[in-house]
Amino acid sequence: MLISTLRGDNEQNMPLLTENSSLHETRLAGPLTVSVLGSMRATVAGREVRIRSRKCRAVLAYLALNDTRQETRERLVGLLWSESEEDKARASLRQILHELSEALAEAGYTGLVRERLHVALAPDGGPIDCHTILTMAEHGQVHPRLLDTQVLAETLLQELDDLDPAFRVWLLAKRQMLHDSLLRALESGVRDPAVAPRSKRQMAQAILNLDPTHEEACRAFMRLCAEDGDIGSALRAYSALWDLLDEEYGMEPSAPTQALVADIKQGIIEAAPPPPVTVRPAREVAARAPLDEFLPQADALARAVTGFAPVAKLALLVESFGMNGIAPDNAYMVAGFRYDLIACLVRFREWFVMDGGTLPEEQLGVRVSGAYCVAATAYQAGDAVNLVLTLREHGTGIHVWSERFLLTLPNWFEAQQRIVRQIAISLNVQVSMGRLVRLSAEPDVSLPAHDLWLRGQAEFYRFRPENWKQAAQLFSEAIEQAPNFAPGYSSLVQLNNIVHFVHPGMRRDPERARRIVELARKAVELDPMDSRSQLCLGWSYSMVKNYTQAATHMELASALNPNDSWALISTALCLSYCGNRVLGTDLAAQALGLTLTPSLLHWAYQTQIAFLREDYAAAVDAADRSQDVMKGMVAWRAAALWHLGRVEEARETAQKFINLIRSNWFGDGPPTDEAIGSWLLHMFPIRYEADWARLRDGIAGAGIPPGDAKHHDW
């Protein structure tokens, strides 16, 4: 559903408001109705709430948009006073809440509860306009605002953009989530054969208002207009699409769109017969009730919690790229292009992406409707690197598309967009140009800086200590040349966040960790819509024990890229470290459902998530699947075995871990068993001592002495 605010606090440690709390004993004059599209407004039983302060409006809107209608004071402070000292920020929040409470009480609403740690609204609030519009779309109805407003999601709290950098990041992400949710709902309606033509035409028009480059919606609109005898509207829609694609992207509409307009001009599209007179089911009649009667029902539906259910999708198997005669100095370009292409492909919900050319026999419940292989061969002719890409059907070997590209830094993103678009066209999948450009947009960066970043990525992804300094130097040089290049910052942050994992014995430096937070914040400020930047900032906050802020950015990362299994599993692990076992487990399950063949690193993350929720058998199974890709997972496996009572296996595994670390030691002192155990226990940013103690007790029981390790001793 729309803005599902994921929780970052341990449900066992967060005192949720219950039916017995004072909140439910309060008599309310009427439901609080909040409008967040355009200028934020609130009313109580039709009486307007007069809110002078912009931050008061932001707090009220944030609480209303939150599924639980409550939030911690700590998170509100982090969102609205991110650049202030904590004491001053908390004092400001108290003042804002006092002003908000008075404004609401004046209008007759006394459902704002201010507790020591939390702030909440009454759970039985009135409708919120964006929830209503989305739920109507999900039930085959098009709200008038979708027809008279261009890019409606961009109007979400539009006057609050400059309130605070952290709030702006949150707001931009929420707008994108609303935009994507509306598109999904409307696309589903346009494709549903049970939806009436008139409703489909409105849905298609609404989609074009949200994304004018959406060719599938344009074709649906054109066909419906032609069938209705409105040839002029059909041709105007095609002309607008042609002009936009030509002016903005230097492209023409796809072959199916051009074929449709030819049919319309030739009169081949016949008028549709009048719809049969039918008695609508009671549920449909209710859905078509007057808007004022539908609002409470729509808002309640929008807040419903839905489970994750994998659907049948196409599988794209991206094979290793062949290299013929590629000079060593150019190999990083080919490898980097493949990595970037996969990163772009995984962001589309229309298919699964697998790194490799073999379809697994066991698919973990994933339903595959068809499988295709993306193959490429790079060869060098003089100084130029050429890339031949093919798309073939898995199993039959039938090639459905092939094209040659000149791979250079200047045409890097243009080639990527052409490839994704051609794959989508070949598989009869709708990918609008606006969406494609958003997901693979060319950054505003000089070519030398982009080249340095690509070289740094090549060094980084080797995950070897000997490549670490070279990667850090290349990322730093890229930032020096392009101070506004967000990926340069996020890559440098990622490298520093895991340096102690790659160098056994190396301790985290608290001062350096605080500097890394600033670099991560810079990456998010430069590109708030990049899930990689959000992930890096979330992990960086966890490394300095700011778990509430960590959870905020991890939830944004997964929401911005809900189709990327890596974003989900990374978020799941960080939230599990932060103490939210339930959500971490749920996201981990979703991540498994979005990948055909989980990587070894993916299983390493699943190992820790399972252990933290005390599912030790699942932790052992995941550790076995990870094949020791992370040396630390050997110790987690030993701890899980000990908790299962399999002591001998635990001791054997613990000794294996000690031997692995001792042979690759980077610590200042000798790699004694105690030093190794102490280093291990300081590695992971685990919020709650009880969770950390279970790991400590497990490794100690298995034979890895914890030494002088203490919780949060870093």
Side-chain angles (χ1 to χ4, degrees):
M1 303 302 290
L2 174 67
I3 307 171
S4 178
T5 305
L6 310 180
R7 308 301 302 165
D9 299 292
N10 190 326
E11 61 278 0
Q12 297 177 344
N13 293 276
M14 186 177 70
L16 297 176
L17 298 169
T18 67
E19 293 295 331
N20 296 321
S21 70
S22 60
L23 175 60
H24 297 274
E25 298 169 358
T26 303
R27 292 185 178 181
L28 307 178
L32 174 67
T33 300
V34 180
S35 174
V36 293
L37 295 174
S39 297
M40 186 267 175
R41 293 179 64 252
T43 59
V44 178
R47 183 178 181 181
E48 185 167 358
V49 181
R50 298 181 179 179
I51 306 175
R52 295 184 298 273
S53 167
R54 296 169 71 223
K55 289 202 173 181
C56 275
R57 294 199 292 272
V59 168
L60 180 58
Y62 182 89
L63 291 173
L65 287 170
N66 194 328
D67 285 348
T68 62
R69 295 174 71 84
Q70 67 174 325
E71 191 51 274
T72 63
R73 287 178 180 259
E74 185 179 5
R75 184 172 292 194
L76 289 173
V77 164
L79 277 172
L80 293 167
W81 290 274
S82 65
E83 297 180 319
S84 301
E85 296 179 5
E86 184 174 357
D87 290 344
K88 292 182 179 179
R90 289 186 178 275
S92 297
L93 176 60
R94 287 194 295 271
Q95 178 62 32
I96 287 297
L97 291 175
H98 176 73
E99 293 177 14
L100 179 58
S101 180
E102 287 191 334
L104 291 170
E106 185 179 347
Y109 180 84
T110 56
L112 177 67
V113 173
R114 295 172 286 168
E115 295 187 340
R116 186 173 66 86
L117 298 178
H118 296 82
V119 181
L121 295 174
D124 55 346
I128 301 176
D129 52 356
C130 64
H131 285 168
T132 299
I133 292 170
L134 175 59
T135 307
M136 288 181 65
E138 291 174 338
H139 288 75
Q141 299 291 294
V142 179
H143 192 283
R145 293 192 68 175
L146 285 169
L147 299 176
D148 60 29
T149 306
Q150 298 289 322
V151 199
L152 180 64
E154 292 300 310
T155 68
L156 180 68
L157 300 177
Q158 61 183 11
E159 81 278 16
L160 301 180
D161 278 281
D162 58 348
L163 205 57
D164 184 273
F167 187 80
R168 178 176 179 272
V169 168
W170 174 84
L171 181 55
L172 290 175
K174 294 304 179 186
R175 288 173 181 169
Q176 190 61 58
M177 292 159 60
L178 174 59
H179 177 86
D180 292 344
S181 297
L182 286 169
L183 275 182
R184 283 195 297 270
L186 294 166
E187 287 170 350
S188 178
V190 167
R191 296 163 185 163
D192 187 350
V195 176
R198 180 180 178 184
S199 295
K200 281 192 177 184
R201 178 170 170 174
Q202 290 183 331
M203 289 179 175
Q205 181 62 63
I207 291 174
L208 291 173
N209 282 344
L210 289 167
D211 182 357
T213 68
H214 201 294
E215 286 198 56
E216 180 186 10
C218 187
R219 287 196 298 271
F221 183 80
M222 291 164 58
R223 182 176 292 278
L224 290 163
C225 287
E227 291 175 350
D228 203 29
D230 188 359
I231 305 299
S233 293
L235 296 180
R236 283 193 295 273
Y238 178 78
S239 178
L241 177 67
W242 177 285
D243 291 343
L244 179 62
L245 291 178
D246 180 48
E247 293 172 6
E248 297 292 331
Y249 308 107
M251 303 183 72
E252 297 179 354
S254 63
T257 308
Q258 296 191 42
L260 176 60
V261 77
D263 289 347
I264 292 174
K265 290 178 178 179
Q266 295 174 27
I268 296 176
I269 305 297
E270 298 181 357
V277 178
T278 57
V279 178
R280 295 192 183 104
R283 181 180 179 184
E284 185 177 355
V285 172
R288 296 173 183 273
L291 184 59
D292 57 346
E293 297 178 14
F294 184 71
L295 289 178
Q297 174 194 3
D299 195 63
L301 287 167
R303 293 183 179 279
V305 179
T306 58
F308 178 75
V311 297
K313 295 183 182 181
L314 294 168
L316 285 182
L317 287 64
V318 183
E319 300 176 351
S320 298
F321 285 10
M323 297 190 198
N324 293 329
I326 300 295
D329 288 345
N330 287 329
Y332 76 96
M333 287 185 61
V334 179
F337 187 82
R338 180 179 181 274
Y339 174 81
D340 259 9
L341 180 61
I342 291 176
C344 181
L345 288 170
V346 297
R347 301 188 70 179
F348 290 88
R349 63 182 180 273
E350 289 78 5
W351 46 54
F352 297 102
V353 179
M354 193 181 76
D355 187 357
T358 304
L359 192 65
E361 295 181 3
E362 179 189 6
Q363 294 169 9
L364 300 170
V366 175
R367 291 188 290 157
V368 178
S369 59
Y372 292 83
C373 298
V374 178
T377 299
Y379 64 92
Q380 190 154 350
D383 294 332
V385 175
N386 292 276
L387 196 65
V388 178
L389 257 88
T390 60
L391 180 68
R392 73 176 188 276
E393 189 175 4
H394 180 75
T396 67
I398 297 175
H399 285 76
V400 296
W401 168 73
S402 178
E403 192 167 343
R404 178 181 286 105
F405 299 89
L406 180 65
L407 187 57
T408 63
L409 291 175
N411 77 344
W412 186 275
F413 296 95
E414 178 187 353
Q416 183 186 102
Q417 291 168 12
R418 282 174 57 196
I419 291 169
V420 176
R421 191 168 191 252
Q422 288 299 324
I423 290 174
I425 291 172
S426 300
L427 301 181
N428 195 28
V429 170
Q430 161 61 32
V431 175
S432 73
M433 277 305 300
R435 181 176 169 215
L436 178 56
V437 169
R438 173 169 60 86
L439 296 182
S440 61
E442 181 174 1
D444 183 17
V445 60
S446 66
L447 296 183
H450 187 226
D451 183 69
L452 286 167
W453 177 72
L454 284 173
R455 292 179 185 273
Q457 290 285 90
E459 297 290 330
F460 173 61
Y461 285 122
R462 291 181 177 137
F463 292 105
R464 296 173 183 168
E466 58 267 25
N467 300 107
W468 226 244
K469 288 185 179 180
Q470 179 66 12
Q473 181 178 345
L474 289 166
F475 291 146
S476 298
E477 290 178 7
I479 292 172
E480 289 178 6
Q481 292 202 18
N484 294 324
F485 184 40
Y489 291 92
S490 57
S491 293
L492 187 59
V493 168
Q494 186 180 14
L495 181 141
N496 278 278
N497 279 342
I498 65 174
V499 62
H500 57 292
F501 288 86
V502 180
H503 299 77
M506 182 179 290
R507 296 274 178 160
R508 277 185 283 166
D509 180 355
E511 180 57 36
R512 182 175 63 181
R514 285 188 286 271
R515 294 198 304 268
I516 293 305
V517 168
E518 295 307 311
L519 288 176
R521 291 181 64 178
K522 181 68 174 179
V524 168
E525 289 172 9
L526 291 171
D527 191 356
M529 309 308 293
D530 183 4
S531 62
R532 294 173 301 181
S533 296
Q534 297 285 359
L535 282 173
C536 287
L537 181 53
W539 278 111
S540 298
Y541 272 129
S542 74
M543 297 294 181
V544 295
K545 308 173 202 174
N546 190 338
Y547 298 105
T548 299
Q549 289 296 85
T552 298
H553 291 279
M554 298 312 291
E555 73 182 38
L556 291 177
S558 60
L560 285 169
N561 202 354
N563 308 297
D564 184 353
S565 63
W566 173 251
L568 290 181
I569 192 62
S570 184
T571 297
L573 179 58
C574 189
L575 291 177
S576 295
Y577 280 153
C578 292
N580 196 331
R581 303 181 194 176
V582 173
L583 184 54
T585 297
D586 180 58
L587 290 177
Q590 292 187 35
L592 271 180
L594 286 174
T595 181
L596 295 175
T597 53
S599 67
L600 300 181
L601 193 58
H602 181 113
W603 284 117
Y605 280 33
Q606 293 280 358
T607 299
Q608 299 164 83
I609 294 166
F611 186 99
L612 289 167
R613 68 170 182 267
E614 301 182 60
D615 188 348
Y616 302 119
V620 172
D621 178 67
D624 290 341
R625 292 173 182 262
S626 74
Q627 299 178 27
D628 303 341
V629 66
M630 292 175 62
K631 296 181 178 65
M633 293 312 98
V634 181
W636 285 76
R637 182 180 187 274
L641 286 168
W642 183 83
H643 281 289
L644 289 171
R646 295 157 62 177
V647 178
E648 288 305 317
E649 290 181 75
R651 288 174 178 169
E652 291 176 5
T653 304
Q655 190 58 53
K656 176 183 176 182
F657 169 74
I658 289 174
N659 293 338
L660 279 172
I661 299 303
R662 184 170 286 132
S663 62
N664 294 277
W665 188 251
F666 287 84
D668 292 334
T672 63
D673 291 0
E674 289 77 10
I676 291 173
S678 178
W679 164 76
L680 171 73
L681 288 170
H682 108 288
M683 289 173 64
F684 311 100
I686 300 174
R687 179 175 190 171
Y688 294 110
E689 186 171 4
D691 292 335
W692 179 86
R694 286 190 293 108
L695 178 61
R696 178 201 61 199
D697 294 345
I699 67 166
I704 306 172
D708 58 354
K710 296 179 182 178
H711 180 242
H712 275 174
D713 187 20
W714 41 271

